[in-house]
Amino acid sequence: MNKNSKIYVAGHQGLVGSAIWKNLQAKGYTNLLGRTHNELDLMDSNAVAKFFEKEKPEYVFLAAAHVGGIIANNTYRADFIYKNLQIQNNVIGESWKQGVKKLLFLGSTCIYPKEAPQPMPENSLLTSPLEYTNEPYAIAKIAGLKMCESFNLQYGTNFIAVMPTNLYGPNDNFDLEKSHVLPAMIRKMYLAKWLMSGNWEAIRQDFNKRPVGAISGESSQEKIAQVLKKQGISSDTLELWGTGKPMREFLWSEEMADACVFIMESVDFDDLKGDKKEVRNCHINIGTGKEISIRDLAYLIKEIVGYTGKITFDASKPDGTMRKLTDVSKLHALGWQHKVEIEEGVERMADWYTSTR
């Protein structure tokens, strides 16, 4: 990529897309292209076709996706497979039609089997069944990966797929029902802290910034308390889903963005496919190669937030996959490694959350 190349970041206001946008700007790229959902609905094939025909981007980061945590994935199964397939088909298809020089597709490590070896290497893809709760989302991401691979093999495109581990960082989703575990836990911990101290002003401010359904900071204290109770938040206890035993790997989103830009700048499909008769598993895992239990993460967040109440775990709720550690040896061999460890990242995340509520 040249510094004045036209680069389209799909999903440029989301967790990943905004971090990629910021990273590109910091590295001197001046011709960035972004559209909000209101400006361009990526599920609308006609709108996407018109956009690509008019703008003709040279490079594309496909960071737009319909995402959520374990509750959302298991509840809105049709939405997760349908919306993600639509977005991917439209953007990848139009990138091929309009001659995009290079595309980076962002997937997820949930593509790997529930019983994949740990850490999970790229070649464990499709070797056994997926974890049930996020199977529709995982299948959509596998389809996107295979679309990139197949267009490359049939049409000679340079579309690369990367599979990031669990991400967190600025502009994360803190929705109490649809967010991923780390941001949800940070918000719940703050709400539990404020409820324990009777700081309803802080709670109302939080609900005004991020309403829960129809409940905002202007709602009655009784209705807000009902929402808090539903989320496991009481005057002296925070109850979290599952046993707390699952191990998870977390990567600071701005480092994920740096890895993505690094790959776009220096890695091509030809570098990944080798000379095998059957070309597959050319995607790249992006992560830290380190993990922490959900229980230990909860107590780390508790310490950083300053919550002094009790934490309990509801073992009747699903845990999801017990381990999801990525094998990042391919990424390291290509020349990129992470720097932000989980303790520093959670502190940054907590600071960002309180500064934007």
Side-chain angles (χ1 to χ4, degrees), residues 120-266:
M120 303 178 293
E122 285 86 354
N123 63 14
S124 65
L125 179 67
L126 297 175
T127 56
S128 62
L130 299 163
E131 204 282 319
Y132 179 77
T133 57
N134 60 17
E135 184 179 65
Y137 178 71
I139 288 174
K141 289 301 180 180
I142 292 170
L145 179 161
K146 288 297 180 182
M147 278 188 71
C148 292
E149 191 177 90
S150 299
F151 272 103
N152 292 341
L153 293 173
Q154 183 173 346
Y155 294 113
T157 51
N158 195 12
F159 297 169
I160 296 176
V162 296
M163 300 298 126
T165 189
N166 301 293
L167 302 174
Y168 67 108
N171 298 312
D172 213 330
N173 176 14
F174 289 88
D175 186 291
L176 290 175
E177 294 184 345
K178 299 179 181 179
S179 63
H180 289 117
V181 60
L182 196 152
M185 207 181 285
I186 285 178
R187 186 180 182 188
K188 287 181 180 181
M189 207 75 70
Y190 272 114
L191 288 169
K193 173 185 176 180
W194 296 324
L195 183 63
M196 188 174 182
S197 64
N199 189 349
W200 278 94
E201 181 181 351
I203 294 172
R204 289 186 180 280
Q205 185 179 346
D206 182 272
F207 271 67
N208 275 330
K209 176 68 176 181
R210 298 178 176 90
V212 180
I215 307 302
S216 71
E218 305 304 316
S219 301
S220 69
Q221 185 168 313
E222 180 183 3
K223 288 184 176 180
I224 295 174
Q226 288 174 351
V227 172
L228 295 175
K229 183 179 180 181
K230 182 181 178 183
Q231 294 299 323
I233 302 168
S234 64
S235 60
D236 63 351
T237 303
L238 172 60
E239 182 180 78
L240 300 173
W241 271 39
T243 63
K245 294 178 181 179
M247 304 294 291
R248 288 293 181 268
E249 174 185 16
F250 296 96
L251 178 66
W252 185 247
S253 62
E254 292 177 332
E255 289 211 293
M256 167 64 189
D258 190 67
C260 287
V261 174
F262 168 82
I263 289 167
M264 281 288 267
E265 290 176 329
S266 58

Side-chain angles (χ1 to χ4, degrees), residues 88-106:
Q88 295 162 192
N89 289 345
N90 291 338
V91 175
I92 295 173
E94 291 303 323
S95 293
W96 163 64
K97 290 177 185 177
Q98 296 300 328
V100 166
K101 293 177 182 178
K102 197 170 184 180
L103 175 144
L104 190 82
F105 168 72
L106 287 105

